[in-house]
Amino acid sequence: MMESNKIQILDHHYYRGRNIYSHKPVMKMVVDIGRYGWIPTKEIPGFHERLLSAFPGLRTNFCSLGYAGGFLKRLEDGTYLAHVLEHTILEMQAMLGYNVGFGRTRTVEEPSKYYLVYQYINEVCGLECGKAAVFILNRFLQQQDVDVQKWMRYLSDISLNAELGPSTSAIVEEARKREIPITRIGHESLVRLGYGKCSHLVESTLTDLTSCISADISSNKQLTKSLLTENKIPVPYGKTVYSELSAVMAASQIGLPVVVKPIDGNQGKGVSLNLNTEEEIRVSYRNAAQFGTGAVVEQYVEGKDFRVLVVGDRVCAVSERLPACVKGDGLHTIRELVDLKNSDSRRGEAHEKPLTKIHLDPVAMEELKKQKKSPDDIPQHGETVLLRKNGNLSTGGTATDCTALIHPENAEFAVRAAQVIGLDVAGVDFVTDDISQSIRETGGVIVEVNTAPGIRMHLYPSEGAARNVAKDIVDRLFSREYRFPIVSVTGTNGKTTTVRLIHHVLSLTGIQVGMTSTCGTYIGSRCVCKGDNSGPRSAESLLADKTVEAAVLETARGGIVREGLGYDLADVGVITNIADDHLGLNGIETLEDLAFVKSLVVEAVTKEGYAVLNAADAMTPTILKRVRSKVILFSGNPETDVFVPKNCIRVYEESGWIVVKERARKWKLVQISEIPVTGGGMIPCNVENCLAAVSALLALRIPLKKIAQGLKSFRMNAGRFELYRLGRFHVMLDYGHNRPGYETVICACGGMAHNRLVGVIGMPGDRSDAAIRDTAHLCAKSFDQIYVKEDEDLRGRGKGEVAGLFYKTIVADAFPRAKVTILEKETDALKDAVVHAEDGDLIVAFYEQLEPMKEILLSAGACREELCPSMKPLDQIQIS
């Protein structure tokens, strides 16, 4: 196959949350650099010169050498194209103002296929910079120059459009200070602050505390005025009109001058002030009608324009708004003065900066016309030329802070106006000569009550003190300290049982607990979504549910590798164990690799949270090096363990009890024989799962008595050691899907009375041949009769491939061929095992899908039994 002469993007993928590469959002791009896989960039004619000319900032990049200029040294020594691409993408984002620095490039397949991971802040910017960098470097490879500045202008525009609005951004930053998690929904300015019952939706300054009807009322100027009038709040007299003629007639009835504004406009769009002629009124009506279904004509009240921000039941900020204007210097034209004013670094397009650029649009031109001026006129020195009548920042206006000046009665009017409409955050617009005097005395009025008021003017006033009104809004949403308990559980085996135990005990405290697991998503005791929900998207879905007060999340390896975590930080991260499973997949070749992936769960824990680790697991000392929170260790032996962190809480088994030890104090929590899920101690892995669950519950400060109560009352662990009696034999269903899982089940069966041990066995197809053979060896020496089945989901294997591996390995171990049968479907295998069962048999079926297997047993008249040491011998069972 001919090698390509350019870089090709094969795939790209977002990691929006914490992930195995970084705790910051990153993008992973897979590329093929074709024939340049063999050629360092220093050997490509003219490449370095063009690269450094276009991106001079690359000269100071650190790279892995750890000092400014490190990347330049790598270029000089010789590096490869994918590595250069990584740095170019990061540099382009930095040129656009984003503080990004993390990147990594690794070989996927020698010599030309690489993946590169790079940090991003703005998702659209990150993706488009990646594509643009590939285009630019490909041109450099062809010894062609590129107008990089043109590309940067394009990238700047699309990045700006993808940013949160300024009000939303300010609220998000304030929430981050309090470690409240933020989730952006879609590509607009809608965000969710927090999780579950503690969460709130925010868009600009509109929050979910404002009802739809209140927002609708505030957007209708006439409805707003009617309600304010009803509540004796001063407003200008006006009429609603639906034609130019009606507007002219209304103006004559009201008396000139008048104001014309859209019925349901915002941001000052379509508003015309101080109208004195019929022609002005007709033109203004046409302008207003573009933004709504009609217009409001109202009395023009002379005075200054004040915006009063109300949050909850108090005034948080007041600004005097000044319309867009220029001041003459006797030298420059109006157009030139606008350009000079727009050169202020605080001014940008739309809402990107504290102030907005002034545009000589039709409204400005009309205002100049009223003043008998044109853009090419040169105003006299000191002459002020208005370009707008309204003072909205979005049209180029400025603001002066007046918060300390507002008269108490005016503040009371503002709060009442917001409450009459039903707004939790409102921008109340006053027109009055002096905000420090009551509008009852000055003849001032409230002209509008706005939903979702912009807060730039308060955060960045042109004059006066800045007011952190974003803090006031977050205070309103989270009147008490934000707390939403999250427990995240990972590990090779025991995750589901541990999650169920924690969920059960937490539910006993009287709160609504959500749970995700391989058996579905639950809210309380109700299953809201069946299936394997142990990935990040299931976690995100649960955390968005407003009825949930705490969450227990099963966090599987696959989801971590593919997408990272579905939450920000947990209060408790649990790793049950690290064992040989999934090796050879997604670049995970060793137990150390697997531990690295799963350790993300205990890295992503709050400062005051806990990492819960298995003291008996060989990988725990390695994982501990990555932990920054407090630690609780379960299992192991406190007297002999040597790697234990100082003052670490221990939870372990001692003389048939679960024991909790903290420093010199020790408590006996509950006897293991009293915990049903342990089968009275017959199931060592479930004893260990109980220890893990107890540790997590201690980390959440659940009382010891409540934990003991929960352990003793937890009975239904569906699909795990699930035992049935059918006539004079038993059947056990279990989800064991790797050798350690098989071992725990076989060990438990050793404590039960039985004649023959019959296995219905199989494994997922994404396990390695070696792992399948290893499990087959265990089955050959453990079972007396074997039925080999295959999962319905072959996970990339050919039909019959996994079953064939099992069969060949088992018979090669001298297991009698007559006692091993291959059946394609697991339900057929179970049926055959039941039909040929003998008295005293114990059939163990390792299933892929639980419900169909249960249906077979229940249809045959099987009865559910608890696993316990006191089970009667099978020959003493009375058959009804």
Side-chain angles (χ1 to χ4, degrees):
M1 183 176 179
M2 184 176 292
E3 292 178 308
S4 172
N5 289 319
K6 63 181 181 179
I7 308 168
Q8 293 180 301
I9 299 174
L10 304 180
D11 191 20
H12 61 81
H13 182 73
Y14 299 104
Y15 290 83
R16 295 182 173 93
R18 297 172 191 265
N19 55 82
I20 60 174
Y21 304 105
S22 173
H23 282 238
K24 299 173 182 177
V26 296
M27 192 168 295
K28 182 177 182 180
M29 181 181 286
V30 182
V31 298
D32 191 327
I33 62 174
R35 72 185 189 90
Y36 296 101
W38 302 104
I39 305 172
T41 54
K42 68 178 183 178
E43 296 179 12
I44 303 172
F47 182 82
H48 283 181
E49 290 77 6
R50 284 185 169 86
L51 177 72
L52 295 174
S53 174
F55 304 106
L58 290 174
R59 295 177 182 275
T60 58
N61 276 205
F62 277 52
C63 199
S64 58
L65 298 181
Y67 59 82
F71 177 65
L72 188 61
K73 180 71 166 59
R74 291 291 303 277
L75 280 177
E76 292 168 352
D77 292 344
T79 189
Y80 288 87
L81 203 51
H83 181 215
V84 174
L85 176 61
E86 171 210 319
H87 278 267
T88 304
I89 297 169
L90 290 171
E91 179 63 20
M92 292 174 78
Q93 292 183 81
M95 290 167 67
L96 292 167
Y98 295 101
N99 183 19
V100 294
F102 174 78
R104 176 180 298 167
T105 302
R106 296 290 185 269
T107 306
V108 175
E109 183 180 320
E110 292 187 337
S112 64
K113 189 179 291 186
Y114 288 81
Y115 77 75
L116 46 138
V117 173
Y118 58 89
Q119 184 187 352
Y120 71 86
I121 293 173
N122 179 316
E123 193 171 285
V124 170
C125 178
L127 177 60
E128 293 303 318
C129 280
K131 294 177 181 177
V134 168
F135 176 87
I136 291 168
L137 295 190
N138 278 334
R139 286 297 182 93
F140 290 170
L141 292 175
Q142 297 163 16
Q143 301 186 44
Q144 296 179 11
D145 292 327
V146 179
D147 186 348
V148 172
Q149 291 310 309
K150 182 178 179 181
W151 273 100
M152 297 309 297
R153 288 192 294 273
Y154 159 73
L155 292 168
S156 177
D157 289 343
I158 62 169
S159 299
L160 175 62
N161 289 335
E163 286 288 347
L164 292 172
S167 298
T168 313
S169 292
I171 293 168
V172 163
E173 288 308 309
E174 187 61 36
R176 281 205 177 102
K177 292 178 188 176
R178 307 180 194 201
E179 298 185 341
I180 296 171
I182 292 101
T183 306
R184 185 172 184 177
I185 302 170
H187 295 286
E188 306 301 323
S189 280
L190 180 64
V191 295
R192 180 183 298 109
L193 307 183
Y195 294 136
K197 193 172 184 178
C198 298
S199 68
H200 288 284
L201 292 174
V202 177
E203 185 174 33
S204 182
T205 56
L206 177 64
T207 80
D208 56 10
L209 298 181
T210 291
S211 70
C212 180
I213 194 167
S214 295
D216 281 350
I217 290 169
S218 73
S219 67
N220 187 303
K221 311 303 181 187
Q222 196 58 36
L223 279 178
T224 298
K225 285 177 60 177
S226 297
L227 287 171
L228 297 186
T229 301
E230 189 176 73
N231 283 270
K232 309 301 181 186
I233 297 172
V235 296
Y237 174 63
K239 291 178 177 290
T240 302
V241 297
Y242 297 96
S243 69
E244 287 182 32
L245 180 61
S246 296
V248 171
M249 292 175 63
S252 66
Q253 293 168 356
I254 294 167
L256 300 175
V258 293
V259 174
V260 175
K261 64 175 79 171
I263 291 176
D264 49 5
N266 57 45
Q267 295 183 337
K269 294 172 183 174
V271 177
S272 301
L273 308 175
N274 197 13
L275 307 175
N276 288 282
T277 68
E278 179 177 332
E279 178 59 24
E280 287 179 341
I281 293 166
R282 287 181 178 276
V283 171
S284 297
Y285 176 83
R286 291 197 294 270
N287 186 34
Q290 296 178 54
F291 300 96
T293 55
V296 174
V297 180
E298 65 184 24
Q299 167 196 5
Y300 174 71
V301 178
E302 191 75 43
K304 297 176 181 176
D305 178 8
F306 293 93
R307 164 61 60 86
V308 178
L309 182 73
V310 176
V311 179
D313 57 0
R314 70 186 187 91
V315 168
C316 294
V318 181
S319 289
E320 180 186 354
R321 299 189 297 183
L322 304 170
C325 63
V326 292
K327 185 170 285 190
D329 60 5
L331 298 173
H332 295 91
T333 65
I334 292 172
R335 191 186 307 278
E336 290 168 340
L337 290 169
V338 168
D339 291 340
L340 286 170
K341 203 158 192 175
N342 284 341
S343 67
D344 184 341
S345 61
R346 295 176 300 166
R347 288 190 182 269
E349 296 297 339
H351 300 291
E352 67 173 320
K353 291 185 177 179
L355 298 173
T356 300
K357 288 185 176 182
I358 301 169
H359 292 283
L360 293 174
D361 59 8
V363 176
M365 298 300 287
E366 185 65 29
E367 186 59 36
L368 287 174
K369 183 179 176 183
K370 290 179 186 177
Q371 300 169 61
K372 297 182 170 53
K373 294 183 183 296
S374 78
D376 298 319
D377 290 343
I378 299 175
Q380 295 180 9
H381 187 277
E383 180 186 359
T384 298
V385 179
L386 285 179
L387 300 170
R388 276 287 197 289
K389 280 287 175 55
N390 68 72
N392 294 70
L393 262 67
S394 58
T395 55
T398 57
T400 299
D401 178 69
C402 303
T403 306
L405 302 178
I406 188 168
H407 190 279
E409 191 168 18
N410 290 342
E412 184 180 338
F413 276 135
V415 171
R416 282 183 56 209
Q419 292 175 341
V420 163
I421 306 303
L423 305 179
D424 67 311
V425 179
V428 184
D429 292 341
F430 285 69
V431 174
T432 182
D433 288 328
D434 187 351
I435 198 68
S436 68
Q437 297 183 47
S438 171
I439 57 174
R440 286 196 188 279
E441 305 299 326
T442 64
V445 290
I446 290 177
V447 293
E448 287 189 12
V449 182
N450 298 282
T451 303
I455 56 177
R456 274 192 305 166
M457 69 185 77
H458 308 301
L459 297 169
Y460 312 107
S462 304
E463 295 181 32
R467 306 288 173 174
N468 186 3
V469 293
K471 178 180 182 299
D472 297 316
I473 294 170
V474 176
D475 284 342
R476 169 74 173 163
L477 295 174
F478 301 94
S479 55
R480 289 180 289 184
E481 183 182 359
Y482 173 81
R483 186 169 186 273
F484 182 88
I486 295 177
V487 181
S488 180
V489 181
T490 193
T492 302
N493 291 307
K495 298 185 295 295
T496 302
T497 298
T498 302
V499 162
R500 287 171 170 172
L501 282 162
I502 298 168
H503 172 262
H504 174 72
V505 178
L506 273 181
S507 297
L508 296 180
T509 65
I511 62 174
Q512 181 85 297
V513 185
M515 176 183 78
T516 61
S517 69
T518 52
C519 59
T521 296
Y522 288 78
I523 296 176
S525 59
R526 180 170 55 96
C527 181
V528 296
C529 182
K530 293 181 179 179
D532 184 349
N533 293 334
S534 58
R537 297 191 186 186
S538 297
E540 290 168 358
S541 174
L542 178 71
L543 295 172
D545 192 292
K546 290 281 287 182
T547 67
V548 176
E549 296 173 87
V552 189
L553 309 173
E554 183 174 344
T555 306
R557 168 212 56 85
I560 296 174
V561 172
R562 287 191 306 272
E563 298 182 68
L565 299 179
Y567 58 91
D568 185 31
L569 294 171
D571 296 87
V572 187
V574 182
I575 299 180
T576 57
N577 45 60
I578 303 291
D580 183 351
D581 194 22
H582 297 103
L583 300 186
L585 296 173
N586 304 116
I588 301 171
E589 304 297 336
T590 66
L591 286 180
E592 286 76 13
D593 293 341
L594 190 58
F596 170 78
V597 170
K598 291 182 180 290
S599 66
L600 180 61
V601 167
V602 290
E603 292 174 41
V605 170
T606 61
K607 295 173 187 173
E608 300 303 315
Y610 282 87
V612 173
L613 298 170
N614 187 341
D617 193 282
M619 295 309 302
T620 292
T622 300
I623 294 170
L624 274 169
K625 296 173 184 176
R626 308 185 67 85
V627 173
R628 297 292 176 266
S629 63
K630 294 175 282 188
V631 176
I632 298 178
L633 291 179
F634 68 92
S635 198
N637 187 337
E639 307 304 322
T640 59
D641 294 335
V642 295
F643 59 86
V644 178
K646 188 177 180 181
N647 300 327
C648 175
I649 298 172
R650 300 298 303 272
V651 179
Y652 56 96
E653 178 186 359
E654 183 178 84
S655 303
W657 285 79
I658 289 181
V659 174
V660 178
K661 183 178 182 181
E662 183 178 11
R663 299 184 183 182
R665 295 180 298 172
K666 189 162 77 171
W667 299 269
K668 286 185 174 181
L669 180 65
V670 63
Q671 283 188 299
I672 290 169
S673 60
E674 296 182 275
I675 306 174
V677 74
T678 70
M682 286 176 61
I683 311 176
C685 66
N686 273 353
V687 174
E688 199 163 78
N689 294 334
C690 288
L691 298 177
V694 169
S695 301
L697 293 160
L698 286 172
L700 293 176
R701 299 176 179 82
I702 304 301
L704 292 176
K705 286 185 178 179
K706 187 65 70 175
I707 297 173
Q709 176 193 349
L711 293 178
K712 289 190 280 189
S713 60
F714 179 76
R715 295 182 177 276
M716 296 302 292
N717 192 25
R720 271 64 177 173
F721 299 95
E722 190 166 327
L723 189 68
Y724 292 86
R725 178 171 63 82
L726 187 55
R728 298 178 69 89
F729 61 91
H730 285 94
V731 180
M732 181 186 291
L733 302 179
D734 192 86
Y735 189 58
H737 49 277
N738 52 39
R739 172 153 183 156
Y742 271 61
E743 284 174 342
T744 58
V745 173
I746 291 167
C747 177
C749 291
M752 297 173 58
H754 63 268
N755 292 332
R756 293 192 313 161
L757 187 62
V758 179
V760 178
I761 66 171
M763 276 178 71
D766 59 1
R767 272 45 171 192
S768 67
D769 287 3
I772 294 170
R773 290 192 189 100
D774 194 32
T775 306
H777 289 310
L778 174 65
C779 293
K781 67 182 181 182
S782 302
F783 292 112
D784 300 296
Q785 179 83 35
I786 294 175
Y787 295 86
V788 182
K789 53 89 177 182
E790 283 209 318
D791 286 356
E792 189 173 311
D793 182 358
L794 298 175
R795 302 196 188 190
R797 294 272 188 173
K799 197 171 183 180
E801 189 176 348
V802 172
L805 269 173
F806 264 106
Y807 182 82
K808 289 176 184 177
T809 305
I810 290 167
V811 297
D813 285 352
F815 193 89
R817 289 178 181 269
K819 293 187 177 182
V820 56
T821 304
I822 295 179
L823 289 164
E824 182 181 326
K825 295 183 179 179
E826 64 181 11
T827 49
D828 291 341
L830 178 59
K831 288 176 183 177
D832 210 44
V834 167
V835 167
H836 294 97
E838 299 176 5
D839 288 356
D841 276 358
L842 175 55
I843 301 170
V844 181
F846 296 96
Y847 64 85
E848 178 192 21
Q849 299 291 333
L850 176 62
E851 293 304 320
M853 304 290 268
K854 285 174 65 173
E855 181 61 32
I856 289 168
L857 297 177
L858 295 173
S859 297
C863 301
R864 181 78 186 269
E865 286 192 354
E866 280 191 9
L867 183 63
C868 62
S870 59
M871 284 179 60
K872 291 182 179 181
L874 288 158
D875 57 4
Q876 295 180 22
I877 295 173
Q878 298 299 314
I879 307 299
S880 57

